[in-house]
Structures are given as structure tokens and as C-alpha cells.
Amino acid sequence: MNENLFRLDGKVALVTGASYGIGFAIATAMAEAGATIVFNDIKQELVDKGIAAYAEQGIKAHGYVCDVTDEDAVNALVAKIEAEVGVIDILVNNAGIIKRIPMVEMSAKDFRQVIDVDLNAPFIVSKAVIPAMIKKGGGKIINICSMMSELGRETVSAYAAAKGGLKMLTRNIASEYGQYNIQCNGIGPGYIATPQTAPLQEPQPDGSKHPFDQFILAKTPANRWGDPADLGGPAVFLASPASDFVNGHILYVDGGILAYIGKQP
Ligand code: NAP
Ligand code: GCO
């Protein structure tokens, strides 16, 4: 096998919201495959922490403050990256939020905010990088989707609507820009241990497992939560020449959740 198929040498990768968590793990794997890493976060403090965390791994990452929901700020960020680092070859739309609120209790403002970060922002950032990718002759866009791109559950209506929409945005970018050698695919992580899911894993006051924690283990054939590092290999694959004819696909990295009815009681 030609190992260069999976190398990202000479490529510039922008991973949004990647100071920690899944974005950080994906960016780290891409750096190990040879890519130059650029990331953003909303606060300077987080960007500084991120740069230090990458440095600890021996990675010289370029960090910028930018709210991905702000179109002008995103356009300015992309221009700055092009001037200071180079044209973005790989975009990972990773930044995301969740609000766990029963639907009838959720305000329209909260619903819109989730849609804004989880769906509108990937549109805004993708739109900002595609013209330079076309000019350069190609590029890779990876949208971080979710189990909720396929499934619903109590309290996550806005998140599920956004991640379901992101699946279709992925397919549409692939449909519209595949002719320019741009591949746009999604990764649908299962339940991954990060600050976003920490409230679902907190032990009970008596020391027993959180009921949601037990529920996830019973739903996951792998019988464990995912680790952010589990997303590294799939992300490198979708960013590399190995996936040049893979387009509009959602790669679920879920320990088997979507294949399984769940452990019988
Ligand atoms: P996380 O730990 O909450 O990290 C998300 C990152 O995005 C944070 O650094 C956050 O910054 C940043 N961010 C949020 N809003 C932003 C904005 N408007 N502009 C720029 N950055 C922003 O989440 P994660 O668990 O690593 O999740 C990463 C992605 O994977 C998300 O899209 C999430 O929906 C998705 N996902 C997660 C799981 C899971 O089980 N953890 C499963 C499936 C999909 P702040 O800290 O300042 O908010
Ligand atoms: C929740 C979770 C999920 C996960 C993830 C699953 O409350 O159900 O936070 O939505 O984070 O997106 O793939």
C-alpha cells in the first residue's frame, strides 16, 4: 500500500473550535500526518490554552479568535490565514454547542442560537473557503455531525435539527462542488467523553454511575464511551488523498450504536 495516500504534508488544515475536545484530537492527528494546523475559538484565553496544549504535543499550531457565527469575522479570519499561513486545503467544521431543554420549554432564541452555531456557521465557514479551494484545484471539507443527524431523543430538538441539517448541507456541498475536486464528507461521532458530554457522565451523589452513562453503555456494542482520539484516523482518512472519490458520505464513528437495538434488559 502507498502510505503517502494518508499523508497531509504541505496541507493547511483549519479546524474550528479546536482548543480542546474532539477538534483538538482531530487537529493533532492531522498534524501527525503532516498538516499545518490552524484553529480558532471564541475567547483569547481558550486560544492561548489551545496553543500551549498543541505545543505540549510538539505541534506549532496557529490560533485565532473568531466566532464562527459572525460572517464578517469569518471572512476576515480566512483572509488572514491565507496571508499568514496559506490557502486552506482542509476545513473541519467542528465548533458546536448543545442546549438540553425539553422542546416545549425551549425559547425560540435558544433554538436559533444552536442552529446558528451548529448549522449556519458551517455554511458560513465553508462558503468562505470554497472559492480559494476551487482556484487551487481542490480541497476537503469535513463536517462534524452526530448520532442526532439520524436519531432523536428527549431535550435535544435544536441540536438534532441542526445536525440533521448539517448532514444535508454536507451532501449538498458535495453535489455542488464535487466538480471542482472538493470532497465534503461528515463524521458522526457517537458518545464521546468531552466537556460537552461531561454532565451526562457525572457520578451520582451515592457514587453510582449516572443513569445516562449506563444507558449509553447498553446502547454501544463497544461497551464504552468514545475517546476524542477515536476520531483522529477517520478524520485523516477524509482529509487525505485516500478519500479522493469519497464524497457526500457521513462516516459514523460510534462504536456500533447505529447498528444496534441495544442490550436486552
Ligand atoms: P466541546 O468540548 O464543547 O468543544 C466545542 C468547541 O467549540 C469549544 O472549544 C467551544 O468553545 C467551541 N465553540 C462553540 N461555539 C463557538 C463559536 N461560535 N465560535 C467558535 N468556537 C465555538 O465539544 P466537543 O464534544 O469536542 O464537540 C465538538 C463537535 O463534535 C461539536 O460540533 C459537537 O456537536 C460534535 N459532537 C460531539 C459529540 C460528543 O459526544 N462529545 C458527539 C457527536 C458530535 P467554548 O468552550 O468557548 O464554548
Ligand atoms: C446528548 C449528547 C449528544 C452527543 C452527540 C451524539 O445530549 O444526547 O450530547 O447529542 O453529544 O452529538 O452523537
Side-chain angles (χ1 to χ4, degrees), residues 98 100 145-148 153 156 159 189-191 196-197 200 212:
I98 190 165
R100 299 183 184 96
C145 298
S146 165
M147 294 290 91
M148 272 66 216
R153 85 169 187 86
V156 297
Y159 186 79
Y191 279 79
Q196 195 229 61
T197 50
L200 306 175
F212 198 89

Side-chain angles (χ1 to χ4, degrees), residues 49-69:
K49 272 193 187 162
I51 289 176
Y54 285 110
E56 246 175 64
Q57 308 292 317
I59 299 163
K60 190 189 161 310
H62 303 258
Y64 297 89
V65 176
C66 179
D67 179 341
V68 286
T69 64

Side-chain angles (χ1 to χ4, degrees), residues 73-111:
V74 167
N75 289 338
L77 172 73
V78 170
K80 205 166 181 199
I81 295 168
E82 283 178 10
E84 294 180 359
V85 189
V87 168
I88 295 161
D89 301 287
I90 300 159
L91 165 66
V92 184
N93 283 308
N94 167 77
I97 59 168
I98 190 165
K99 288 178 189 275
R100 299 183 184 96
I101 306 170
M103 195 184 99
V104 296
E105 293 166 24
M106 189 169 204
S107 67
K109 185 169 174 258
D110 278 340
F111 191 92

